[in-house]
Amino acid sequence: MATATDSFPQLPLFDLHLQPQDLQAVAETLRSGWLTLGPRTAEFEEAFAAHLGARHAVAVSSCTAALHLAYLAAGAGPGDEVIVPSFTFAATAAAALYCGATPVFAEIVSRKRPSLDPDDVERLITPRTKAVCVVHYAGYAAAADRLKELCDARGIALIEDVAHAPSASLDGRKLGTWGLAGAFSFFSNKVLSVGEGGLLCTDDDDVAAFVRSRRSHAMTSGTWDRHTGRTDTYDVTGLGFNYRLDEPRAALLLSRLQRLESEITRRRELTVRYRELLAQVQGIIVPFDDDEVPTSSCYVIPIMLEEDGRQAEVSERLRERGIQTSIFYPAIHRFTAYQSRFPGLSLPITELASRTELTLPFYPHMTHDDQDRVAAALAEAVAR
Ligand SMILES: *Cc1c(COP(=O)(O)O)cnc(C)c1O
């Protein structure tokens, strides 16, 4: 029996096309026989640091690992507080809990600007605040400039969760380079994706040395050093982790990094066109302004339904038309594990955004026809 979706090719939220040279780079690495923390990782770190204009880039196993090490580097421990948005992926807050610190959830500005609100951050700062983590939601710059001033004036570390925002900038300065450290993600559906992977960038020599050490058990020498005959023993100088990146993924990152700018350029062109189409759809809010697109990484296309209480229904109508959507993000403080830790916490703007947001299909090889189909289906779904 034919179903409604049979007549529509499925449009996924995200899709990835690797190129033959990407596969070649991975195959060569596998043939080399050296599979973790070696020359490709070092080469990728150098290339990414140059791309960012940062002094140091340290590859790690995930953005979550980078956030954990960044908060530790900021000195966060038991009894300390790390201010984070609740309108983000759970890892931004969980990494504070890994340190034994308490995440303190701050509001976003509005549904039009779903980024950390510096005024709310200022209200939440206490003598126990060790760090503020700003998320550049969807790839658009949050108020890193104001937050930097706020933090600098009080000796608090600013950390940037740049999982969405490689190569995005604010006032000509790359996101991730505004504070003490920036944490990037190379997870499967991110802008620069290789499956699993992350990176911490910093201009601070001590932070870089700390993160290099802690990502591999705080050992004074790695297997590469021993392999290349530099040393045959090691000491362990602190509590470290296995947060290493492996060589095949470093090779894939190096290969994909060469196309990052051109892919983001394509993302921006498609985002401009999406925004023109979405501006015609009644009953939705399209976050951010058109003039922010040229400096954004254009990671995803979020929209907010003006009317509360229709998220499930509209996403179901889109699914019936073969269009996959997602919610970026359910508020962290409303998750079971967090509600019990933070009972009664209320963040009305974040909660409304979470109840009304839908993320639409988007990837660099999306066609104009695909975009037209999404916009038309959304207009119908919202109009009932
Ligand atoms: C994906 C994501 C993370 C976690 O990244 P991993 O590399 O999967 O650990 C953290 N923060 C935000 C905002 C993300 O989108």
Side-chain angles (χ1 to χ4, degrees), residues 92 107 137 146 163 177 200 211 273 276 289 293 303:
T92 316
E107 266 290 18
Y137 176 84
R146 266 212 58 206
T177 66
L200 181 144
V211 171
R273 189 170 184 281
E276 284 165 10
D289 292 318
V293 172
I303 61 110

Side-chain angles (χ1 to χ4, degrees), residues 47-336:
F48 204 78
H51 157 81
L52 286 174
R55 241 173 108 72
H56 306 279
V58 186
V60 289
S61 53
S62 68
C63 177
T64 308
L67 287 168
H68 181 194
L69 295 178
Y71 295 166
L72 285 178
D80 297 326
E81 296 172 347
V82 179
I83 300 176
V84 298
S86 179
F87 196 64
T88 175
F89 184 61
T92 316
L97 292 167
Y98 299 169
C99 305
T102 304
V104 173
F105 294 107
E107 266 290 18
I108 50 174
V109 177
S110 65
R111 289 199 291 167
K112 177 75 181 170
R113 184 158 298 283
S115 313
L116 193 59
D117 178 1
D119 292 331
D120 200 37
V121 169
E122 189 165 14
R123 280 191 286 274
L124 291 170
I125 289 173
T126 74
R128 294 194 290 196
T129 309
K130 276 290 190 318
V132 172
C133 184
V134 60
V135 177
H136 300 289
Y137 176 84
Y140 295 82
D145 44 357
R146 266 212 58 206
L147 288 164
K148 183 175 163 50
E149 275 174 31
L150 266 180
C151 289
D152 283 355
R154 292 164 180 79
I156 296 169
L158 176 65
I159 308 294
E160 292 176 87
D161 179 336
V162 249
H164 298 183
S167 204
S169 62
L170 174 66
D171 296 341
R173 181 166 166 181
K174 285 273 196 309
L175 300 183
T177 66
W178 281 80
L180 184 68
F184 290 88
S185 176
F186 308 127
F187 178 66
S188 310
N189 66 7
K190 301 286 157 83
V191 173
L192 184 62
S193 55
V194 297
E196 302 285 353
L199 180 139
L200 181 144
C201 70
T202 182
D203 284 340
D204 186 306
D205 296 348
D206 294 335
V207 169
F210 174 83
V211 171
R212 275 187 194 287
S213 162
R214 299 297 166 112
R215 78 172 162 183
S216 191
H217 303 289
M219 286 156 67
T220 49
S221 72
T223 40
W224 180 255
D225 300 314
R226 296 197 294 279
H227 176 72
T228 50
R230 255 168 275 179
T231 174
D232 55 7
T233 185
Y234 61 87
D235 188 16
V236 170
T237 57
L239 179 61
F241 308 89
N242 177 355
Y243 281 169
R244 295 183 296 261
L245 185 74
D246 61 14
E247 287 279 285
R249 278 179 283 198
L252 185 51
L253 280 163
L254 262 173
S255 180
R256 291 208 60 196
L257 182 60
Q258 292 174 34
R259 298 193 306 279
L260 179 65
E261 289 302 335
S262 61
E263 282 191 10
I264 291 178
T265 299
R266 181 68 187 147
R267 282 176 177 271
R268 287 174 181 150
E269 288 163 8
L270 287 171
T271 297
V272 167
R273 189 170 184 281
Y274 236 140
R275 293 180 69 89
E276 284 165 10
L277 295 170
L278 294 172
Q280 310 302 315
V281 177
Q282 301 297 307
I284 65 168
I285 297 163
V286 182
F288 305 107
D289 292 318
D290 293 342
D291 66 4
E292 292 171 90
V293 172
T295 51
S296 166
S297 62
C298 295
Y299 168 47
V300 285
I301 306 289
I303 61 110
M304 309 265 176
L305 301 169
E306 266 170 17
E307 209 183 321
D308 197 359
R310 299 198 56 211
Q311 190 183 48
E313 168 210 340
V314 172
S315 94
E316 178 53 31
R317 281 161 181 264
L318 291 170
R319 188 170 23 248
E320 282 165 8
R321 289 162 174 78
I323 293 164
Q324 188 195 1
T325 60
S326 179
I327 300 168
F328 275 51
Y329 287 98
I332 298 177
H333 69 287
R334 305 293 299 162
F335 285 133
T336 304

